[in-house]
Amino acid sequence: MKRFLILTLTLFGFIAASLQAGEPVVPYSKNVAPVPPTVYGTGFYGAIDMGANVYQNRGGTRVFENEFGDTLTINPKNDVGFFGGLKAGYVFGTGVFRPTVEGDFFYNGFRGGADTTLALSDGTVLRNSSGTSFINTGAFMGNFIARFAFGRFQPYAGAGVGIYFAESAGLDLSTPRGSFSTGGGQSHNDLAWQIIAGQRLLLDA
């Protein structure tokens, strides 16, 4: 009788130990792919330029004198003008070196002219007049640029070729006896080229 009880207790303890052992518990895990690095400054881009042309250097005051000592004084006007531009391009690739093509369209215009004074040798002023003309310039350029991408910092260098135009829209004169316009004007077109270099700092993706 005693042996039977001991054997029964032993078997029960063995079964309980086996049930408690079971399979080891493995914590739940999921393989997450690493986040790819952010790529800056690729694909299409565009920009608008706009501002004031606050200074034009058209020379200082000039005085002309004849053999009698009479003088003609010409004081060129340098009024504030306007400039504006439109730029669009495409950046190829996502590596460190990124070739870029770009179209650049630019306009600059300001009001010129001059104030004139005609005086005799004794200082008597015969006539004062003020002339105003409008000068317009612009350029249409195709640029080829090499960009180097180091994250948000992207230095670049390149060159462009295209055409430019310049136009003077005639002269409007104002005198003590009245005002009149010369009309006409001149214009000129020619080949243009430029060298480009700079650094872009991109603030968003």
Side-chain angles (χ1 to χ4, degrees):
M1 185 67 178
K2 291 182 179 179
R3 292 180 180 178
F4 177 75
L5 291 175
I6 293 172
L7 179 60
T8 302
L9 292 174
T10 303
L11 290 174
F12 180 79
F14 177 78
I15 294 171
S18 299
L19 290 176
Q20 290 178 358
E23 294 295 330
V25 178
V26 179
Y28 177 78
S29 64
K30 182 179 180 181
N31 294 327
V32 179
V35 179
T38 304
V39 179
Y40 298 94
T42 61
F44 287 100
Y45 67 91
I48 297 176
D49 298 325
M50 187 177 297
N53 187 346
V54 298
Y55 178 72
Q56 300 86 32
N57 185 6
R58 301 176 61 235
T61 300
R62 287 171 288 180
V63 179
F64 301 90
E65 184 175 350
N66 63 14
E67 65 273 19
F68 304 107
D70 304 330
T71 58
L72 174 64
T73 303
I74 301 177
N75 183 21
K77 294 180 180 180
N78 294 305
D79 294 335
V80 175
F82 165 81
F83 75 86
L86 178 65
K87 183 180 296 186
Y90 188 85
V91 181
F92 295 91
T94 58
V96 175
F97 173 70
R98 301 176 185 177
T100 303
V101 292
E102 178 183 272
D104 190 4
F105 313 96
F106 186 83
Y107 166 80
N108 176 38
F110 62 93
R111 186 173 65 177
D115 296 326
T116 61
T117 301
L118 179 61
L120 298 177
S121 58
D122 61 2
T124 303
V125 176
L126 294 180
R127 179 169 297 176
N128 288 318
S129 64
S130 179
T132 300
S133 65
F134 291 91
I135 299 174
N136 302 303
T137 62
F140 303 88
M141 308 294 295
N143 302 322
F144 303 90
I145 303 171
R147 298 187 184 276
F148 300 90
F150 304 103
R152 296 178 182 270
F153 297 92
Q154 298 188 0
Y156 60 88
V161 64
I163 61 173
Y164 83 94
F165 74 92
E167 177 188 35
S168 176
L171 184 67
D172 297 324
L173 294 175
S174 176
T175 71
R177 294 181 178 272
S179 60
F180 63 94
S181 176
T182 63
Q186 294 183 344
S187 63
H188 180 71
N189 302 318
D190 210 335
L191 177 70
W193 60 273
Q194 63 179 350
I195 296 176
I196 305 168
Q199 161 69 53
R200 291 201 309 172
L201 172 60
L202 302 176
L203 300 180
D204 52 13

